[in-house]
């Protein structure tokens, strides 16, 4: 299974001004935008970190999931949520020849933690030996940062501010995330159960 982000978050969608206010950076100077590039990079890093911890896309963009076999013959769980729509499903045979699957053969079952591609009939279309299936879908809360739930907005701003304040720090442990951020994103993290559940 390979998940690839086909489109990226646009710079215009990043809340640079909100981060400046959060950091209490000075305004009204001739060079107000001198740190914008650095702030955008910290916002991108904070978005990526929160998304990785929650298995969620925050700002909407297109993804493609490539599989060599379906997990279940009539459903395939998508690895990221929330999924807004499935744009297409393409089968690729062992020689690289592609065939687009008729949308009448599948549907999206929306779910907060495990959205699924489900068959409309008895099973999803078969994947050829040495072939693959490509599932293209749009995932995220919306095109703008303000479309995110308020707690996720705050988590991203807190984490971006943390990266900004400790940008020279190299002694932090791997995976270090401020407590305030982890508590804000806790309810969005997928629950993991053992023993194959």
């Amino acid at each position: 299974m390979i998940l690839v982000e086909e489109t990226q978050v646009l710079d215009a969608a990043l809340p640079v001004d909100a981060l400046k206010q959060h950091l209490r950076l000075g305004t009204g100077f001739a060079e107000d935008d001198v740190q914008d590039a650095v702030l955008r990079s910290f916002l991108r890093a904070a978005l990526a970190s929160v998304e990785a911890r929650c298995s969620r896309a925050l700002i909407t963009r297109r993804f493609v999931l490539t599989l060599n076999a379906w997990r279940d013959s009539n459903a395939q769980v998508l690895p990221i949520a929330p999924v807004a729509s499935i744009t297409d499903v393409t089968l690729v045979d062992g020689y690289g020849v592609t065939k687009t699957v008729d949308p009448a053969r599948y549907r999206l079952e929306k779910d907060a933690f495990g959205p699924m591609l489900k068959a409309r009939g008895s099973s999803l279309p078969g994947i050829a030996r040495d072939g693959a299936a490509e599932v293209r879908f749009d995932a995220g809360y919306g095109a703008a940062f303000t479309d995110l739930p308020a707690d996720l907005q705050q988590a991203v701003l807190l984490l971006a501010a943390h990266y900004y304040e400790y940008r020279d720090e190299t002694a932090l442990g791997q995976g270090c995330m401020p407590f305030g951020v982890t508590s804000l994103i806790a309810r969005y993290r997928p629950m993991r159960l053992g023993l194959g559940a």
Side-chain angles (χ1 to χ4, degrees), residues 10 32 41 46 76 84 106-107 109 119 130 141 150 154 159 175 180-181:
L10 300 174
D32 274 353
S41 70
Q76 175 64 47
Y106 60 86
R107 66 182 176 86
E109 183 175 293
D130 298 326
Y141 287 98
Q154 186 64 26
L159 190 54
V181 175

Side-chain angles (χ1 to χ4, degrees), residues 36-167:
D36 285 5
V38 171
L39 296 177
R40 276 193 297 274
S41 70
F42 289 136
L43 283 165
R44 286 188 185 282
L47 280 167
S49 184
V50 170
E51 287 180 343
R53 293 276 178 120
C54 297
S55 296
R56 294 181 181 277
L58 299 182
I59 296 177
T60 302
R61 53 204 186 276
R62 174 134 323 145
F63 294 86
V64 61
L65 175 66
T66 304
L67 304 154
N68 297 100
W70 301 116
R71 183 175 182 175
D72 185 357
S73 64
N74 66 349
Q76 175 64 47
V77 176
L78 301 173
I80 197 165
V83 175
S85 64
I86 295 175
T87 57
D88 69 70
V89 176
T90 305
L91 298 176
V92 183
D93 69 15
Y95 299 103
V97 177
T98 62
K99 178 185 174 195
T100 302
V101 177
D102 181 4
R105 295 196 59 194
Y106 60 86
R107 66 182 176 86
L108 169 64
E109 183 175 293
K110 293 184 178 188
D111 186 85
F113 292 98
M116 284 192 255
L117 168 71
K118 292 197 91 170
R120 285 200 188 267
S122 60
S123 65
L124 292 168
I127 299 174
R129 184 173 185 200
D130 298 326
E134 295 177 345
V135 181
R136 280 185 176 69
F137 59 94
D138 293 329
Y141 287 98
F145 186 74
T146 54
D147 295 331
L148 274 66
D151 48 357
L152 288 178
Q153 288 181 40
Q154 186 64 26
V156 169
L157 290 175
L158 282 171
L159 190 54
H162 177 79
Y163 290 157
Y164 179 83
E165 294 295 332
Y166 296 99
R167 60 190 172 275

